Amino acid sequence: MDEDDDIFSYVAPVAVESPCVNICRIDPATGWCEGCARSLDEIARWSSTDDADRQAILDALPARRAARKA
């Protein structure tokens, strides 16, 4: 098979996985999802953004979860 043959195409795996836990309710006080702690904007752009942005979103989540519990 030649490299230009498009019968099979490789799709690279997503390096940064979604934090979604299928509890999708937005807290009106914070604007964050009660399940994953992302904002609606972050949830909406997740599938089309790059890994650096995804990682930046993930990095913000522990502080949000801690603030939610306080």
Side-chain angles (χ1 to χ4, degrees):
M1 220 184 244
D2 140 349
E3 283 183 37
D4 296 325
D5 191 347
D6 64 344
I7 293 174
F8 299 100
S9 60
Y10 175 75
V11 176
V14 175
V16 181
E17 295 294 324
S18 171
C20 181
V21 294
N22 295 319
I23 301 172
C24 305
R25 289 186 299 268
I26 300 301
D27 180 333
T30 63
W32 302 328
C33 174
E34 291 179 10
C36 68
R38 292 180 292 171
S39 69
L40 282 173
D41 176 64
E42 292 164 342
I43 293 166
R45 74 175 193 257
W46 188 265
S47 63
S48 62
T49 196
D50 61 25
D51 283 342
D53 188 34
R54 289 180 182 154
Q55 190 61 55
I57 293 167
L58 288 181
D59 291 345
L61 301 183
R64 292 180 189 176
R65 290 184 182 116
R68 214 171 35 193
K69 291 181 183 179

